[in-house]
Amino acid sequence: MKKLATTLVLLGLSASAFASTHKFNYDMPCTSLWPAVKDTLRNSGKYGIIGIDSTEMTASYNMGGNLMAKRINSLVLNTIATGCELQVQTAYSGLFTNDVGDLKKRVDDSIVKLKIAPPPASPATPAAPAASAPPAATAPPIPH
């Protein structure tokens, strides 16, 4: 019984060793990146959405199936000084899977597809007002 308990504890610890957090920085606000993340999760056909929260910009989803066990992953968008950080918690990326790399590539593709552009580096300066035309010259009075 002791050996079984020890084995289960070691298996539990080794399984969590496969889980890791990956961080990717984007030069855009999280509110601009979130539509690309949602598009990726909803429309790629690769993810089963477990939960999605647009207010908190978080999602949990699964991948895999058939020959491979389903893997549960999650993500969150965090505002940082330079824009937005996409933080992905993966259950496993190994010899035959690259869950985090696949997600990032699909999010990058969605940014292009949705034509999401980063904001301009500095606020645009307003155009100078157009010069007003000089007042029209008045004709001299005609003598009678």
Side-chain angles (χ1 to χ4, degrees), residues 49-131:
I49 297 174
I50 297 169
I52 193 165
D53 183 338
S54 290
T55 304
E56 294 292 326
M57 290 187 264
T58 62
S60 296
Y61 56 95
N62 64 30
M63 293 189 68
N66 299 335
L67 297 176
M68 315 235 350
K70 287 197 183 275
R71 300 172 306 280
I72 297 175
N73 299 321
S74 61
L75 63 83
V76 63
L77 297 185
N78 294 314
T79 299
I80 57 175
T82 58
C84 187
E85 174 188 74
L86 169 62
Q87 192 175 102
V88 183
Q89 177 74 38
T90 60
Y92 175 78
S93 285
L95 184 60
F96 299 108
T97 63
N98 183 6
D99 292 355
V100 72
D102 293 341
L103 176 80
K104 180 172 182 337
K105 180 187 179 315
R106 289 183 180 113
V107 168
D108 292 347
D109 290 346
S110 286
I111 289 170
V112 172
K113 180 178 93 175
L114 299 174
K115 295 176 178 64
I116 299 171
S122 62
T125 55

Side-chain angles (χ1 to χ4, degrees), residues 35-47 49 106 110 113-114:
V37 171
K38 289 191 305 184
D39 177 66
T40 298
L41 294 175
R42 291 180 175 162
N43 300 320
S44 71
K46 301 292 182 185
Y47 305 102
I49 297 174
R106 289 183 180 113
S110 286
K113 180 178 93 175
L114 299 174

Side-chain angles (χ1 to χ4, degrees), residues 1-10:
M1 189 65 157
K2 230 180 190 183
K3 286 183 182 181
L4 177 62
T6 303
T7 302
L8 290 175
V9 167
L10 288 175

